[in-house]
Amino acid sequence: DIQMTQSPSTLSASVGDRVTITCRASQDINNWLAWYQQKPGKAPKLLIYMASSLEGGVPSRFSGSGSGTEFTLTIGSLQPDDFATYYCHQYKNYSPWTFGQGTKVEIK
Amino acid sequence: QVQLRESGPGLVRPSETLSLTCTVSGASISSNDRYWGWIRQPPGKGLEWIATIYFSGSTYFNPSLKSRVTISVDTSKNLFSLKLTSVAAADTGFYYCARSTMFRGAPGHFDSWGQGTLVTVSS
């Protein structure tokens, strides 16, 4: 299995802060990576696919980068609606498809 | 706009079979560029992919669950279903159905999700 490791597990930040979350894959996954946002009691929502492509309707303050084994999700200026848990997801290999353990973004 | 809705019992007894259905509206489950899958999440924990199916019947399974999982599709009713046998407390959690894109002839990212349904395994 391809292991996906996110860091940090929890992040405390203030409105307006620039926030970066890292996801590392245990082997090369090219750019076959997605990011999701999940709020309490809700389903995950797709933010980014193919490592850096913004899903339609997602604010432009969200961006993704990386390839190979290291990826980042950046929120350019944190907004109140952005406090949530974020997950990365690799879909390179049917090995099985795996998610990171999640990063919770909390209010500082 | 596609909508997915899970349905099924919220309580299942240990050793019995968990059965869930995902009804799709706003899109055809017979779309030739989409797959349909199940993901679960124990309360307070992370996401685990369970299985995925294509309208033609091609299936993909998480090896850790494959021996207990059946996934099927009913194109006439525009829905797909999950069965998980011999459940235990560790199978308790939120179960989501989701649509995934097709990428290089295989499932890609999940672009639409159902709201999820909580299934508790308890006697």
Side-chain angles (χ1 to χ4, degrees), chain A residues 76-91:
Chain A
S77 177
L78 196 67
Q79 298 301 301
D81 191 49
D82 301 337
F83 291 97
T85 300
Y86 295 84
Y87 293 93
C88 61
H89 162 223
Q90 70 81 17
Y91 49 94

Side-chain angles (χ1 to χ4, degrees), chain B residues 2-121:
Chain B
V2 63
Q3 291 189 328
L4 299 92
R5 180 170 51 88
E6 304 88 352
S7 58
L11 179 65
V12 182
R13 303 205 182 281
S15 80
E16 296 189 345
T17 297
L18 178 160
S19 296
L20 296 173
T21 295
C22 182
T23 301
V24 179
S25 59
S28 172
I29 207 165
S30 299
S31 172
N32 62 8
D33 64 351
R34 290 293 189 271
Y35 291 83
W36 308 90
W38 292 94
I39 302 101
R40 70 179 183 177
Q41 183 174 38
K45 298 189 177 181
L47 300 163
E48 179 181 37
W49 168 71
I50 302 170
T52 291
I53 192 166
Y54 189 57
F55 78 93
S56 65
S58 297
T59 53
Y60 305 79
F61 296 96
N62 188 324
S64 69
L65 297 167
K66 184 176 182 178
S67 64
R68 298 195 291 134
V69 171
T70 302
I71 187 171
S72 59
V73 64
D74 187 334
T75 55
S76 67
K77 297 181 179 178
N78 220 43
L79 59 81
F80 61 106
S81 300
L82 174 74
K83 292 186 185 299
L84 179 65
T85 62
S86 304
V87 298
D91 295 310
T92 292
F94 292 92
Y95 284 73
Y96 297 98
C97 60
R99 184 181 74 172
S100 63
T101 58
M102 176 178 283
F103 179 68
R104 293 164 58 112
H109 56 274
F110 297 104
D111 65 349
S112 296
W113 296 65
Q115 64 184 16
T117 188
L118 177 61
V119 178
T120 301
V121 177

Side-chain angles (χ1 to χ4, degrees), chain A residues 25-54:
Chain A
S26 61
Q27 58 182 268
D28 188 341
I29 59 169
N30 290 298
N31 61 341
W32 299 326
L33 182 109
W35 290 96
Y36 304 88
Q37 176 193 66
Q38 186 179 33
K39 296 182 180 179
K42 300 293 186 181
K45 171 190 172 184
L46 177 67
L47 300 175
I48 302 282
Y49 60 96
M50 292 300 290
S52 60
S53 295
L54 192 68

